[in-house]
Amino acid sequence: MTISRTLYNRCKKLIESNQQGLKYDAINAEIQALFGLGHKEVIPRTSRTKQKINFILPADEAKKLQALIKAEIGLDVLTDVYSNGDRVVNAAQHNDEKIGANASQDIILVNNATGQLKLNQEVSTLFPSIHAAGLELRHKMISSIEHDAIIICENFTPMYYLHQLKHNPLFEHALVVYRGDSQQGKRADEVKRFIDRHKSNLPLYYFGDFDPEGFSIAKSFRVDGLILPDISQFSAFTNIDLQKCAGKDKFFPQLSQGMTYLHQSTYPQAWHAHINFMNQHQLGWQQEHLLSANINWQLYK
């Protein structure tokens, strides 16, 4: 038996969950059937909550599952990445093209505000008459980047609105990379591998939502700077204008303790004015809303 990438990732999640339990579904049922581990915990329905079914894996069984996977495919769930080639490679070697293969493995989406990608000592020009989100590339084939910086873009929509920023020198000369889905095993993992490989050669900036999560994501990437609205222009907006371009439920729901504000002390000094402004107004602003408002973007290091 060779377990799939999906099953491997779920086993890893279970082993790391420390008996907290995960929603019982078909994949967890497969784990229980294959390995005879774990059990269902049924939480009865009440007048306020629906019935819940969790899949529980006790600590001793978690170690056993980890050992079983190590013996089965030679990987340690907590340290080793499940990588077994793309689907064409697997089709040539196995009867199942999907065995262990993620279709988006090694793929990232890149773009530039002027529509010119400068990679591997070559210049690739996108359609001048069509505003494109960029090109999907195999990042392991990128040996050199002839841009001045790498910008991580949080959301997908701004990727094909970058042409609006082509006169901003920061975007004009940078390689913009779409962060992708943050779920484990999705495109975000490939972006992280790409960033880890090239961040020592180029400055790394983050272009995301102006909200608590945006600051948190930027911090997690250990960026050299954060691209935010020009605070002198943005702070001059009226309360009505700020409300109009604010995303729905982009402030309090993102804070880990409800009404607790984002603590600026853990973030660079250059970001404090924006954090104070956000906390003061108790609002968060998404990239799409800010782009529609034609605000000026600046780099804060």
Side-chain angles (χ1 to χ4, degrees):
M1 178 187 70
T2 300
I3 67 173
S4 67
R5 179 192 295 270
T6 300
L7 186 57
Y8 175 86
N9 286 334
R10 181 56 63 88
C11 289
K12 180 176 181 178
K13 197 170 185 180
L14 275 167
I15 291 170
E16 291 176 331
S17 66
N18 295 322
Q19 291 188 309
Q20 294 177 12
L22 295 174
K23 182 180 179 181
Y24 193 86
D25 58 14
I27 300 175
N28 288 328
E30 183 180 359
I31 293 173
Q32 192 173 35
L34 285 174
F35 302 109
L37 300 173
H39 62 274
K40 291 191 293 184
E41 178 186 65
V42 179
I43 302 175
R45 179 188 180 119
T46 68
S47 59
R48 294 184 177 181
T49 62
K50 297 180 180 179
Q51 176 178 296
K52 295 181 180 179
I53 302 178
N54 294 325
F55 184 74
I56 304 296
L57 193 70
D60 58 333
E61 293 192 348
K63 291 181 180 178
K64 185 176 180 182
L65 178 57
Q66 186 176 359
L68 284 169
I69 295 171
K70 179 75 172 179
E72 174 63 30
I73 58 176
L75 293 179
D76 188 325
V77 170
L78 299 182
T79 60
D80 298 332
V81 177
Y82 195 147
S83 181
N84 194 27
D86 64 21
R87 294 190 176 185
V88 172
V89 172
N90 282 330
Q93 300 174 351
H94 307 282
N95 290 330
D96 185 358
E97 80 284 355
K98 296 182 180 180
I99 185 170
N102 187 331
S104 61
Q105 183 178 351
D106 193 25
I107 299 296
I108 58 173
L109 177 65
V110 296
N111 203 356
N112 170 261
T114 64
Q116 287 194 328
L117 299 175
K118 302 175 183 179
L119 305 168
N120 293 0
Q121 304 297 321
E122 299 177 6
V123 177
S124 298
T125 302
L126 302 178
F127 297 104
S129 61
I130 301 175
H131 298 142
L135 289 178
E136 284 194 320
L137 304 173
R138 288 196 173 279
H139 65 81
K140 289 182 181 178
M141 299 182 72
I142 299 176
S143 58
S144 67
I145 301 173
E146 287 70 55
H147 290 273
D148 292 348
I150 297 174
I151 296 175
I152 305 169
C153 182
E154 179 178 352
N155 298 302
F156 177 73
T157 300
M159 289 293 291
Y160 57 87
Y161 275 90
L162 289 178
H163 62 278
Q164 291 187 4
L165 306 173
K166 63 183 178 182
H167 298 301
N168 183 318
L170 179 63
F171 288 93
E172 179 184 359
H173 301 294
L175 179 70
V176 183
V177 184
Y178 172 49
R179 181 181 71 107
D181 197 319
S182 60
Q183 295 179 30
Q184 188 173 27
K186 298 301 177 93
R187 193 197 303 265
D189 286 347
E190 297 298 335
V191 172
K192 183 180 184 304
R193 295 185 185 104
F194 169 76
I195 294 301
D196 288 344
R197 181 180 178 187
H198 295 282
K199 66 181 179 182
S200 61
N201 300 321
L202 290 169
L204 178 65
Y205 306 136
Y206 190 75
F207 177 47
D209 294 338
F210 181 5
D211 60 17
E213 187 176 356
F215 285 101
S216 178
I217 296 170
K219 182 182 176 183
S220 70
F221 274 106
R222 299 181 181 179
V223 296
D224 300 301
L226 182 58
I227 301 171
L228 290 164
D230 178 352
I231 193 64
S232 60
Q233 178 201 21
F234 203 64
S235 58
F237 280 23
T238 66
N239 287 334
I240 294 177
D241 288 334
L242 290 172
Q243 289 278 354
K244 282 182 178 179
C245 63
K248 183 180 180 182
D249 298 331
K250 296 297 291 182
F251 186 73
F252 288 123
Q254 292 188 357
L255 299 177
S256 59
Q257 297 180 0
M259 300 295 285
T260 302
Y261 295 112
L262 190 68
H263 296 298
Q264 67 178 28
S265 61
T266 61
Y267 295 88
Q269 178 70 37
W271 304 1
H272 289 186
H274 287 82
I275 294 174
N276 288 336
F277 187 83
M278 179 181 63
N279 288 342
Q280 174 189 348
H281 290 276
Q282 301 179 11
L283 293 172
W285 298 271
Q286 291 172 289
Q287 287 179 289
E288 294 87 345
H289 291 260
L290 296 171
L291 284 169
S292 70
N294 294 316
I295 60 94
N296 296 325
W297 299 92
Q298 286 195 0
L299 176 64
Y300 294 86
K301 296 184 178 180

